[in-house]
Amino acid sequence: MKTDHQGIMNVVKQWLGDLFSLFVPPLCNVCGERLVDGEKVLCLNCHLSMPRTNYHLLPDSPIHYKLVSSIPILRTAAYFTYVKDTPYAKLLQTSKYNSLPQIDRWLAEEFSKELIPSGFFVGIDLLIPVPMSRWKKANRGFNQAEEIADAISITTGIPVGDNLVARHGHKSQTKKNMLQRQKNISDIFSIVNPEELHNLHILLIDDIITTGSTLRGCIEQIHAASPSTKISVLTLASTSRQ
């Protein structure tokens, strides 16, 4: 499970972000307009205009099709549709490459608040973020999936697990086709303390799903280590069905 040290680091990062906003007027990350009191990351208009997927309301969403295999996926959710070079897609790019994890946390918090009335989190026992290799995390400074999971945990009270680990890094997936991506992912992930996952319903979390190869690699490892574990999936964004 998450350690006290990790919790302290998350509080420190949040405090630094709040301190920064005192000296630099916060702007909407989509339209560029100055945010007013009560607004964070997005202005109200851009937040309402976000291209929500509503996948959590579908019994078989496009995420189900991307992850199709012999391993059943119970529920899926994605906050918005990811279309390259659009302002909403750039939200995740800004977070990742400008070291602004508070964007991920805010999006995750807002998304989880919208999901709660639907019952999406009912029966889910543990949040599992897609892991990142130690070198990559040290280089970037944070793991977006962990930031998302932590924010959802605060909103829902569901604990975050660290049973899924990345044994080593992998090359960029950007210019690879589906088969190349899946081969690139093979054997990267592993499970520690699989007995902790037995008979649990876990929510696997990542920032974005494109072809689904990364999430499939995680799902395969979880199922192999603990076949009794039920799996659902949540991402902040999803590309259109491929």
Side-chain angles (χ1 to χ4, degrees), residues 55 62-68 82 84 173-174 176-178 181 208-213 216 238-242:
Y55 287 169
I63 293 179
H64 280 99
Y65 289 101
K66 290 180 181 183
L67 300 176
V68 64
Y82 185 97
K84 187 178 179 181
Q173 301 275 67
T174 306
K176 298 180 183 297
N177 61 38
M178 185 176 293
R181 288 180 184 224
I208 181 173
I209 178 171
T210 52
T211 65
S213 57
R216 275 197 303 272
S238 172
T239 57
S240 300
R241 181 177 173 183
Q242 296 183 3

